[in-house]
Amino acid sequence: MKKTQIAAQLYTLRDFLKTPSDIADTLKKVRQIGFDAVQLSGLGPIDDRELTAILAGEGLVCCATHEKAADIVERTPMVIEHLHRLGCRHTAYPFPHEKPTSYAETVRLAEKLNTAAETMAAAGITLSYHNHAHEFERFDGHIWLDILYDHAPALRAELDTFWVQAGGCDPVAWIKKFPGRQPLLHLKDFGIIQGERAMRPIGQGNLNWPAIIAAGEAAGVEYFIIEQDVCQKSPFDSLSDSLAFLTEHFVR
């Protein structure tokens, strides 16, 4: 792993991204922590040109975004134009805007996402799917995340290590399922605090990070994206802890 492949998911810092001034201050702090790239998510209103200028001024790469789920499937050309303005090649569908409750409904969502993925691919953009735990429910004996990927061949994976584990599955095994099909990988550790599952900085939970990083590299992951939706301390400190762990143990 190269250090330039490690990114911060800005959703972690959403409480500090309400205004353009907040965004500028926060991106400066992210750069000072040591990140070279960010995934855009959780930002308040800001013009694309202003945002691009802030990123360039800090020397940060916009490696990917999360866009509104409905926009991805219903207003695909608008999303493409937005990504082109940002100079960004990757985006992800963050959460089902039509949450399936059956095999057939999962197939219908897959078909919509595949159409959007094909349209984006023609414009030089990859569309990935970001999972949570609910995608590991079974419909007719099949895990619905498997159903989704089986029926959306143009769709790529943005697996989330915490949520795969929370869904009762092995993050390493799932990463290995998608060689060449996962440009993005979300990293957050899975821990237990007072008997309850908890998101933890990388290296402070119970996941097998040597195996996860090795599987991601073998699968061709372009960006290893640190995210921690819920932090036990300052989210800036949590991101810093995760980056320090990855840098010490895996950056070459």
Side-chain angles (χ1 to χ4, degrees):
M1 176 196 293
K2 297 178 181 178
K3 184 172 176 292
T4 53
Q5 290 181 276
I6 304 174
Q9 222 294 14
L10 293 184
Y11 185 76
T12 307
L13 305 170
R14 59 196 178 277
D15 292 337
F16 305 89
L17 296 166
K18 304 295 187 183
T19 68
S21 177
D22 292 339
I23 292 167
D25 291 344
T26 294
L27 289 176
K28 182 178 291 294
K29 292 178 182 177
V30 168
R31 185 61 170 147
Q32 289 171 345
I33 289 170
F35 285 97
D36 299 293
V38 294
Q39 181 176 35
L40 302 181
S41 180
L43 279 69
I46 185 170
D47 182 80
D48 287 343
R49 291 167 294 184
E50 183 176 4
L51 178 55
T52 301
I54 294 171
L55 289 165
E58 297 298 339
L60 287 167
V61 172
C62 174
C63 70
T65 74
H66 274 185
E67 302 297 330
K68 292 180 180 179
D71 286 347
I72 286 173
V73 297
E74 297 170 6
R75 291 172 283 277
T76 310
M78 181 188 74
V79 173
I80 291 170
E81 291 175 5
H82 167 61
L83 289 163
H84 282 169
R85 286 193 296 270
L86 295 174
C88 183
R89 297 185 298 111
H90 301 295
T91 192
Y93 180 88
F95 194 87
H97 71 301
E98 299 173 354
K99 191 174 178 180
T101 59
S102 68
Y103 190 107
E105 289 178 2
T106 308
V107 171
R108 284 197 290 273
L109 175 61
E111 291 170 346
K112 292 178 181 180
L113 287 171
N114 196 64
T115 297
E118 289 177 337
T119 302
M120 289 188 180
I125 295 167
T126 71
L127 174 62
S128 300
Y129 185 91
H130 175 259
N131 68 277
H132 292 80
H134 60 260
E135 288 92 347
F136 296 92
E137 182 177 356
R138 288 180 179 267
F139 298 138
D140 298 343
H142 300 274
I143 292 175
W144 89 249
L145 194 57
D146 274 328
I147 302 168
L148 184 83
Y149 287 126
D150 287 347
H151 289 84
L155 183 67
R156 303 195 184 187
E158 183 188 62
L159 293 172
D160 184 296
T161 55
F162 176 93
W163 288 117
V164 174
Q165 183 70 39
C169 291
D170 176 11
V172 174
W174 271 79
I175 293 167
K176 290 180 177 179
K177 292 177 69 161
F178 302 105
R181 196 181 173 184
Q182 49 184 323
L184 313 172
L185 179 62
H186 270 199
L187 308 182
K188 62 169 72 82
D189 215 336
F190 186 102
I192 299 294
I193 297 178
Q194 296 182 346
E196 301 293 332
R197 74 183 189 193
M199 297 175 182
R200 300 287 289 145
I202 298 166
Q204 296 181 26
N206 300 319
L207 296 185
N208 184 346
W209 289 106
I212 287 170
I213 300 303
E217 291 180 320
V221 170
E222 293 181 41
Y223 287 101
F224 296 82
I225 303 171
I226 299 168
E227 180 181 38
Q228 193 174 339
D229 313 37
V230 179
C231 302
Q232 291 78 45
K233 56 182 177 180
S234 160
F236 292 99
D237 290 342
S238 295
L239 286 176
S240 181
D241 287 351
S242 291
L243 178 62
F245 179 84
L246 291 178
T247 300
E248 178 182 356
H249 295 283
F250 301 110
V251 168
R252 336 183 260 282

